[in-house]
Amino acid sequence: MRPKTKSCCSQSLLNALILALTLVFLPSCGADTPQDDSLRIGVALYTQDDTFISALAQSLEQLAQEEESRIGQKITLLISDSRSNQTTQMGQVDRFLARGCDVLCVNIVDRTAAAVIVDKAEAEGVPLIFFNRQPVDEDIQRWNQTFYVGASAQESGALQGQLVLDAWQSDPVRWDRSGDGVLQYVMLEGEPGHQDSLLRTEYTIQAITDGGVEVERLARDTANWNRAQSAARMTHWLEEFGEQIEVILSNNDDMALGAIDALSETGRALEDWPLIVGIDATAPALEAVAAGQLYGTVHNDERGQAQAMLNLSLALYAGEDPGGAVDLEDDHYIWLPYRQVTQDNLSAFRTP
Ligand code: GAL
């Protein structure tokens, strides 16, 4: 079966599940004032149609249920889909506040809108946790009850670059197809202006060149984190550059999978494919690593990020010092580490 078909199914299943959870949870927060001692967390996702974000929301849901039975604190999640529209998200934030949410978790659509959200939360005295999409520090520092949970974009780029460097140096005959000692690559970039797109692109290349390997960029373009857009770009590049492409660098796994879709379409034998790397370690990407299509990826710890958001929410709700519940940097930031994944350590990341 082509990976494309497989992933589309799992993506729509995930979306359906999140939608079901949203429908289950929204009515319980329908009143303007809280009616029980439930911790109400309003969670605005920039879009549900994103593999990594769907997985993070699913983990949040699962962990909230586990935590509820462990500590006996009722937790109600209100999950909304902002559909990549900042105006839609502002309306959702207003509704969460009007419905008496105790904590807001915001996966902001447009980072330049962060200050307005901080001001709204502060006016109502509701602690605010941004996650995954990082506002500028000035906005985070605006109020002492504003936090950011995420992972360092720079670190993920550096780890991806090191993966490529190691592969290139350990098997130059296989990967340096032209034999000229220069690494010819194409770069699939995430959303323009997103920290993860800008810094991953920069630090991946820096890690390779710092390792003493000369690079030549054949092409770059955004595919907005999206598998289908990436497949379209890659099809075009394969026609234009053919076997000149030695390495495909992708800012995330979904776009790496799109490149794999395009290569599969050509019917080219797997041993003649370029080296492909992604970031996230999503379930379909781990399958592609197992199949030898994706050389490696970098694990973006969605479960760890969801757990940190939950621990922080519980501490804030209880009026405790958040520093006792999570590892706080500069009083506002919680950073989760990235880890490299290849066939060598795949079993540590795949759920049986
Ligand atoms: C990145 C992730 C991407 C996409 C993006 C959305 O951290 O690697 O796959 O989910 O966040 O903001």
Side-chain angles (χ1 to χ4, degrees), residues 160-181:
Q160 185 185 59
Q162 276 153 21
L163 268 181
V164 173
L165 187 67
D166 291 347
W168 182 266
Q169 290 178 329
S170 61
D171 195 355
V173 176
R174 170 154 189 203
W175 302 118
D176 185 10
R177 304 176 63 86
S178 62
D180 65 355

Side-chain angles (χ1 to χ4, degrees), residues 4 22 24 55 60 78 96 100-101 104 111 127 181 191 213 228 239 259 261 272 289 303 327 335 345:
K4 190 176 186 177
T22 310
V24 165
L60 194 58
L78 293 85
F96 286 153
C101 280
L104 289 189
R111 69 204 297 252
E191 280 170 277
V213 173
E239 280 162 11
D261 294 337
D272 296 327
V289 174
R303 201 175 162 83
D327 245 342
W335 298 110
N345 63 349

Side-chain angles (χ1 to χ4, degrees), residues 136-291:
V136 293
D137 185 54
E138 196 186 331
D139 292 340
I140 295 286
Q141 302 288 347
R142 214 172 158 86
W143 182 37
N144 64 4
Q145 296 291 289
T146 303
F147 303 89
Y148 177 71
V149 172
S152 151
Q154 176 174 337
E155 182 189 1
S156 55
L159 290 175
Q160 185 185 59
Q162 276 153 21
L163 268 181
V164 173
L165 187 67
D166 291 347
W168 182 266
Q169 290 178 329
S170 61
D171 195 355
V173 176
R174 170 154 189 203
W175 302 118
D176 185 10
R177 304 176 63 86
S178 62
D180 65 355
V182 179
L183 184 155
Q184 273 87 18
Y185 73 94
V186 294
M187 175 74 78
L188 290 158
E189 296 173 5
E191 280 170 277
H194 192 305
Q195 289 286 87
D196 288 346
S197 310
L198 301 169
L199 295 176
R200 286 174 184 172
T201 298
E202 180 184 346
Y203 283 88
T204 294
I205 297 302
Q206 189 173 310
I208 299 172
T209 52
D210 280 356
V213 173
E214 195 184 328
V215 298
E216 180 189 354
R217 191 180 71 197
L218 299 175
R220 59 148 292 273
D221 207 344
T222 176
N224 291 304
W225 307 123
N226 182 281
R227 183 169 180 160
Q229 287 184 35
S230 161
R233 302 269 177 286
M234 202 62 223
T235 300
H236 178 72
W237 289 340
L238 285 169
E239 280 162 11
E240 191 173 350
F241 303 107
E243 304 216 342
Q244 271 179 276
I245 303 172
E246 295 170 330
V247 176
I248 299 174
L249 302 170
S250 175
N251 285 171
N252 82 340
D253 282 346
D254 262 11
M255 296 188 296
L257 291 167
I260 288 173
D261 294 337
L263 273 156
S264 305
E265 280 291 331
T266 64
R268 201 196 283 186
L270 185 58
E271 58 269 25
D272 296 327
W273 284 22
L275 186 147
I276 309 171
V277 284
I279 293 178
D280 278 341
T282 61
L286 295 176
E287 292 314 306
V289 174

Side-chain angles (χ1 to χ4, degrees), residues 289-333:
V289 174
Q293 297 173 315
L294 186 63
Y295 176 79
T297 181
V298 179
H299 180 245
N300 191 358
D301 187 2
E302 43 80 14
R303 201 175 162 83
Q305 290 168 44
Q307 185 71 67
M309 287 158 65
L310 202 56
N311 292 351
L312 190 53
S313 300
L314 282 160
L316 292 165
Y317 181 59
E320 291 164 6
D321 169 18
V326 288
D327 245 342
L328 264 192
E329 209 173 284
D330 294 335
D331 297 329
H332 292 274
Y333 292 89

